[in-house]
Amino acid sequence: MRVIQQIDALRDQMHGQNRVAFVPTMGNLHEGHLSLMRLAAQHGDPVLASVFVNRLQFAPNEDFDKYPRTFESDCAKLEKEGVYVLFAPTESDLYPEPQTYRVAPPTQLGDILEGEFRPGFFQGVCTVVLKLFSCVQPRYAVFGKKDYQQLMIIRAMCRQLALPVEIIAAETVRDADGLALSSRNQYLSQTERAQAPFLYQTLQAVREAVLNNRQTEQVGQTAQTTQTTQTIEQIEAQAMQTLVAHGWNPDYVAVRRQIDLLPPTQAEIDAHVPLVVLAAARLGGTRLIDNVEV
């Protein structure tokens, strides 16, 4: 595996490669990241990864300086996975001058959910991803479903800007107890780590509540006499209360349409429009996100 830092050197190395599969990361790699590399290898050749901790997507009160940097370990893991090139620019390589040009997603997609609680986050994500795409010029790029809103925003950006990049979605990788793999999991204490799978369990309970409501609508009046149909708002509120009761500090639990992350109507729920349940909550000092599709 060749490690390249400068943009010009990367373009020289990749000249003539028209089926590049790209996996952008911020490093501190775990099995979830490595599964993205394997999926990339199924679609393109060669596989190119990047490691860059992007300051633009961190708010002033967030953990940019504390974000774990494990470059030597990352390199060893990527080489074992058969990655062809690792692009590892410094800030001065990728941002040689202040990055005053920014890519802002539409407010109806970028300022909800994560965007509401992390203002400017998706602007930073879109800006760095577009710049990385310009440097790498991939045919395919792989993003994990754990960051569901990010996946939807990047996919929409590529579509609206006519970028010749196919976005491939990778399923969330979980530990045996259901906790989604994340670099932030290492911030959890031993007690918090034991409690952390409850977020996924809560999302599964919301999913079941939505499915039960659909079943109630299908079987008609008889079932409605024995089961009270909850609104989506009631299901979301109950999940929030459950998290609080178990020691969490939730930002949101939301049932949304997969296609655009807008709230579904009851008619859409009854028609089995694809949905997703998303949540973000703090356990102690660690903020975790997760989702399940419906």
Side-chain angles (χ1 to χ4, degrees):
M1 181 180 75
R2 184 172 179 186
V3 180
I4 297 177
Q5 181 175 315
Q6 291 82 22
I7 296 173
D8 288 343
L10 176 70
R11 287 174 172 162
D12 289 343
Q13 178 69 29
M14 303 308 294
H15 181 71
Q17 301 277 6
N18 58 13
R19 294 191 64 250
V20 174
F22 177 44
V23 185
T25 82
M26 293 206 300
N28 193 223
L29 304 182
H30 50 67
E31 179 59 29
H33 294 108
L34 301 182
S35 71
L36 304 184
M37 308 299 162
R38 297 170 200 140
L39 183 59
Q42 296 176 22
H43 289 81
D45 182 30
V47 174
L48 188 153
S50 66
V51 169
F52 180 72
V53 184
N54 178 41
R55 187 185 298 271
L56 298 185
Q57 67 195 66
F58 286 80
N61 64 330
E62 293 183 328
D63 53 358
F64 174 80
D65 291 325
K66 294 182 180 179
Y67 191 88
R69 292 158 171 85
T70 54
F71 188 69
E72 290 186 6
S73 172
D74 294 344
C75 287
K77 292 174 181 177
L78 293 174
E79 189 158 21
K80 187 176 180 181
E81 292 297 331
V83 171
Y84 176 61
V85 166
L86 170 60
F87 181 42
T90 65
E91 282 194 282
S92 60
D93 290 313
L94 201 61
Y95 302 133
E97 59 183 275
Q99 188 68 38
T100 53
Y101 282 80
R102 303 291 180 94
V103 181
T107 57
Q108 67 267 27
L109 184 57
D111 291 350
I112 61 173
L113 303 170
E114 284 298 284
E116 178 182 350
F117 290 92
R118 302 180 69 186
F121 172 70
F122 287 118
Q123 184 182 104
V125 168
C126 288
T127 301
V128 75
V129 168
L130 182 60
K131 194 157 192 178
L132 288 169
F133 283 176
S134 176
C135 297
V136 175
Q137 299 183 22
R139 176 65 185 87
Y140 308 95
V142 180
F143 290 83
K145 283 187 178 181
K146 189 181 83 68
D147 298 291
Y148 206 91
Q149 188 175 6
Q150 173 180 276
L151 171 66
M152 296 296 105
I153 287 174
I154 296 300
R155 184 169 275 165
M157 180 183 75
C158 289
R159 183 178 65 250
Q160 289 210 1
L161 297 181
L163 301 180
V165 184
E166 180 180 339
I167 303 301
I168 298 167
E171 296 297 331
T172 301
V173 178
R174 302 182 181 276
D175 274 335
D177 58 7
L179 178 64
L181 297 189
S182 169
S183 297
R184 298 184 186 273
N185 291 352
Q186 62 192 290
Y187 299 147
L188 297 167
S189 69
Q190 186 174 357
T191 300
E192 290 166 349
R193 175 60 187 82
Q195 297 171 331
F198 188 70
L199 182 62
Y200 180 51
Q201 295 165 15
T202 301
L203 290 175
Q204 289 179 308
V206 172
R207 180 181 185 275
E208 288 304 312
V210 173
L211 291 175
N212 286 339
N213 277 7
R214 285 175 172 173
Q215 293 169 5
T216 299
E217 291 295 329
Q218 286 179 346
V219 298
Q221 295 296 325
T222 302
Q224 290 181 13
T225 62
T226 60
Q227 179 178 348
T228 301
T229 300
Q230 292 178 290
T231 66
I232 290 298
E233 292 78 9
Q234 290 171 330
I235 293 172
E236 294 170 341
Q238 182 177 337
M240 294 276 283
Q241 293 167 6
T242 300
L243 286 169
V244 170
H246 285 78
W248 293 71
N249 182 17
D251 285 340
Y252 60 83
V253 177
V255 179
R256 299 299 173 95
R257 304 189 311 197
Q258 289 183 23
I259 190 171
D260 54 14
L261 299 186
L262 293 179
T265 65
Q266 186 61 51
E268 290 170 331
I269 295 169
D270 297 341
H272 291 211
V273 167
L275 305 175
V276 59
V277 188
L278 309 103
R282 290 188 182 276
L283 185 59
T286 304
R287 186 176 186 271
L288 301 177
I289 65 171
D290 204 349
N291 65 81
V292 295
E293 293 180 323
V294 182

